[in-house]
Amino acid sequence: MPIPEDVTGDEIDKDVRQELQSLPKTLAEDVAKNLVMVARLIDEEPESAYGYSKVALRLASRVAAVREAAGFAAYANQKYAEALAEFRAARRMTGSVELWPLMADCERGLGRPEKALDMAGAPEVQKLDKAGQVEMRLVAAGARRDMEQLDAAIVTLQSSELASNSVQPWTARLRYAYADALLAAGRSGEAREWFAKAVEADRDGGTDASDRLAEMDGVEFVDALGEGDDVRANEDAEGDRDAEGDQDVEDDKD
């Protein structure tokens, strides 16, 4: 796959660059460039990112960072079995539990919420950092919802992180998930409150909490020039043309 000229491979994280030092220099550069393309495209063009990840995987399948990138690309394309296999491979290589919540969410994607819940109660969760533990809580709540256990999903999300007034990278998503679960359970009043709190924490627009809140409030967004305005504009234009025609007739009479 083509690599843009502005991509040098130096853009990758220094830890990944260090991993690639085990490869011959030219090969390492090629792998790095493909990894840069994965990171660049995964949000907006996940299919293209997946293609670049497959190239990197073909070139350096024994590098943990490559297996991890391939897992993220597969995950972004909802190829959950493939993503799970790559995350497992990366974990075997590094011994890290960082990918544990994503592995559990892949189990959900494969229609195995019970397995995801088993993973949520595993000892590996205690080794996760705070962000990882919150992510695991979100996955567990999602698994409960998959099993139509709405009340259990709500309880799963209730935590000190949810109750905290401080805004962390996970705060908006946690509040959003809680609001959505409340709404699904028919608790619309509480849901509106938590969607509003999610909006407060969502500084980078990572959720559609503001849209959900507006929807609950019955707010409709319309174009500045609505359909009625279009009709009136057309009528005005026709009126102007009629007036010009009448004036021409008068001029001819003169």
Side-chain angles (χ1 to χ4, degrees), residues 48-67:
S48 296
Y50 178 75
Y52 283 104
S53 76
K54 298 300 283 187
V55 174
L57 194 60
R58 187 173 68 249
L59 295 174
S61 62
R62 296 185 179 181
V63 176
V66 171
R67 304 303 290 266

Side-chain angles (χ1 to χ4, degrees), residues 59-166:
L59 295 174
S61 62
R62 296 185 179 181
V63 176
V66 171
R67 304 303 290 266
E68 184 174 327
F72 275 107
Y75 181 84
N77 284 276
Q78 299 183 5
K79 299 178 183 291
Y80 297 117
E82 188 174 337
L84 182 57
E86 297 301 340
F87 288 148
R88 283 174 173 168
R91 182 169 180 265
R92 284 195 300 270
M93 293 175 177
T94 64
S96 171
V97 298
E98 182 180 352
L99 296 171
W100 195 255
L102 278 166
M103 292 166 60
D105 205 40
C106 285
E107 295 287 2
R108 283 188 61 213
L110 291 169
R112 301 192 292 248
E114 297 88 352
K115 178 62 176 176
L117 287 176
D118 288 343
M119 294 180 69
E124 284 82 354
V125 176
Q126 302 305 315
K127 300 176 183 178
L128 294 168
D129 61 13
K130 180 62 69 176
Q133 290 180 4
V134 171
E135 193 66 34
M136 193 70 246
R137 188 178 292 277
L138 287 167
V139 172
R144 291 293 186 186
R145 292 192 62 174
D146 293 342
M147 300 167 66
E148 299 184 356
Q149 299 175 359
L150 287 176
D151 289 341
I154 290 170
V155 172
T156 298
L157 292 168
Q158 292 172 345
S159 60
S160 58
E161 292 83 14
L162 180 67
S164 175
N165 290 323
S166 66

